[in-house]
Amino acid sequence: MKNEAIILSKPSKPNRKRYFRRNRDLFILSLPALLFKLIFSYLPLIGLIVAFKKFRFDKGIFGSEWNGLDNFRFFFVSDNAWRVTRNTVMYNSGFILITLVCALLLALLLNEMSGKAVKFYQSALFLPYFLSWVVVGYIVLAFLEQDRGLLDHVWKLFGQAPVNWYQEPGRWPYILNAVNLWKTLGFSTLVYYAGMIGIDPSYYEAAKIDGANRLQMIRKITLPLLTPLIVVLLIVAIGGMFRADFGLFYFIPNNSSFLYSTTDVIDTYVFRALRTVGDVGMSAAVGLYQSLVGFVLVIAANTIIKKSNSDHALW
């Protein structure tokens, strides 16, 4: 008996028109987000060539002369390049670590609560996230303003001399970390809390049957199952390590020149250089530098995590 060859026919190509027609409503709903990304994220990439040009407003982007890497050289040979880069990296590293630990602790506490108290604490934690840095700057000013600030009145009640907060740079690393934590903690806490809610309750029920206490369930169930979410947020945060929050470092210190040694970061330095010198090419070069370093950091962080546990990596 002859062996009959089995020929598998190739699957037919999907009917694209039918597919788009069937999901028309979903595509229409996603259209505003796609247009937003296209207009504000992809079309501006054309302007990256300004980083390699001696930009002149009368000639425009494409008519200006090329100047190679002179715009990058202008930033890196300046005396402030190391200072603002160090401040940017150190602050963002502190923000990532402190926010991660505090957000996880608060999320664990919320997970142990029940009833209306959870909704109240969720609203209280999330409210500062909606405030602009301008508003937060005025709140901080109400506490730290010399002679009229709340802390100066408290100092006087205890017989202490008032502190000129906006002229003492040594105190501001603590102030900026505290303000950033107060404003952003609620968002991270709710993200981790949402991840904890999504954990299958049967794991905890089985652990209770085996006699595990709450601390053991947190260590053996909650944190291990929450690790992929923590890793994703950590990778995203590392990617933005070279890009500081402009509002935090500009409005909270009130742009005081006495504080530049500890509050000046890449973004505020470029803004002042652009405002005083008007060098658009230099600002574009620094922005490209930040983006490239952030891209490298994301790739490096994902590679390291993938080697330790490939299931936790982004790709």
Side-chain angles (χ1 to χ4, degrees):
M1 186 175 180
K2 295 182 180 180
N3 294 328
E4 296 181 357
I6 301 175
I7 302 175
L8 298 177
S9 60
K10 294 183 179 180
S12 60
K13 293 183 179 180
N15 192 327
R16 297 180 185 272
K17 291 183 178 180
R18 184 183 303 171
Y19 175 77
F20 280 101
R21 193 183 305 115
R22 186 181 303 170
N23 299 280
R24 179 181 57 188
D25 295 338
L26 295 177
F27 283 109
I28 293 175
L29 287 174
S30 64
L31 187 60
L34 293 175
L35 290 175
F36 180 85
K37 287 298 275 187
L38 176 65
I39 296 172
F40 293 100
S41 298
Y42 290 99
L43 289 180
L45 291 176
I46 301 173
L48 289 178
I49 62 174
V50 178
F52 306 94
K53 287 194 170 190
K54 187 177 181 180
F55 180 75
R56 288 181 53 178
F57 289 96
D58 57 339
K59 294 184 177 181
I61 296 178
F62 300 102
S64 300
E65 298 177 359
W66 296 92
N67 65 348
L69 299 177
D70 288 346
N71 292 326
F72 295 89
R73 192 177 297 111
F74 176 84
F75 173 73
F76 287 108
V77 300
S78 65
D79 298 333
N80 300 318
W82 161 248
R83 173 172 57 83
V84 297
T85 302
R86 178 203 62 196
N87 289 345
T88 304
V89 174
M90 293 300 292
Y91 274 118
N92 281 323
S93 301
F95 294 162
I96 293 171
L97 179 62
I98 295 172
T99 303
L100 173 64
V101 174
C102 294
L104 276 175
L105 289 176
L106 285 178
L108 290 170
L109 291 176
L110 287 177
N111 197 38
E112 298 297 322
M113 301 174 65
S114 60
K116 296 181 179 179
V118 176
K119 296 182 179 179
F120 171 77
Y121 286 113
Q122 284 179 344
S123 302
L125 286 170
F126 205 52
L127 179 61
Y129 183 78
F130 292 103
L131 299 177
S132 68
W133 282 116
V134 178
V135 175
V136 177
Y138 280 111
I139 295 174
V140 174
L141 183 65
F143 279 88
L144 304 182
E145 188 176 11
Q146 189 177 10
D147 297 330
R148 293 187 296 177
L150 179 61
L151 289 182
D152 275 0
H153 288 292
V154 174
W155 258 228
K156 291 176 183 177
L157 288 177
F158 288 95
Q160 301 293 326
V163 178
N164 194 347
W165 298 94
Y166 290 94
Q167 293 185 9
E168 297 191 11
R171 303 175 185 267
W172 279 89
Y174 307 101
I175 296 173
L176 290 175
N177 275 280
V179 172
N180 180 78
L181 182 65
W182 174 75
K183 188 177 185 302
T184 61
L185 180 62
F187 178 79
S188 300
T189 300
L190 292 184
V191 171
Y192 291 131
Y193 178 63
M196 293 177 187
I197 293 177
I199 297 176
D200 191 347
S202 61
Y203 291 115
Y204 297 105
E205 295 172 0
K208 287 181 181 179
I209 295 175
D210 292 337
N213 55 35
R214 300 304 302 179
L215 184 59
Q216 290 174 331
M217 285 190 283
I218 290 172
R219 290 176 52 196
K220 301 297 184 180
I221 299 175
T222 306
L223 292 180
L225 293 178
L226 206 64
T227 300
L229 177 62
I230 297 173
V231 170
V232 170
L233 295 179
L234 184 63
I235 292 175
V236 173
I238 290 175
M241 188 174 291
F242 265 69
R243 194 172 296 277
D245 194 327
F246 176 81
L248 171 64
F249 292 97
Y250 186 81
F251 293 110
I252 304 303
N254 208 18
N255 196 28
S256 175
S257 59
F258 297 99
L259 308 177
Y260 285 168
S261 60
T262 56
T263 63
D264 201 15
V265 292
I266 296 176
D267 299 76
T268 55
Y269 174 76
V270 172
F271 173 76
R272 283 195 303 273
L274 182 62
R275 188 180 61 181
T276 55
V277 182
D279 194 338
V280 179
M282 187 271 290
S283 62
V286 176
L288 179 59
Y289 158 68
Q290 289 177 293
S291 300
L292 288 176
V293 173
F295 175 74
V296 172
L297 289 175
V298 168
I299 298 297
N302 187 78
T303 302
I304 294 173
I305 293 171
K306 189 174 184 179
K307 288 184 177 181
S308 60
N309 191 334
S310 59
D311 294 333
H312 295 162
L314 281 176
W315 63 86

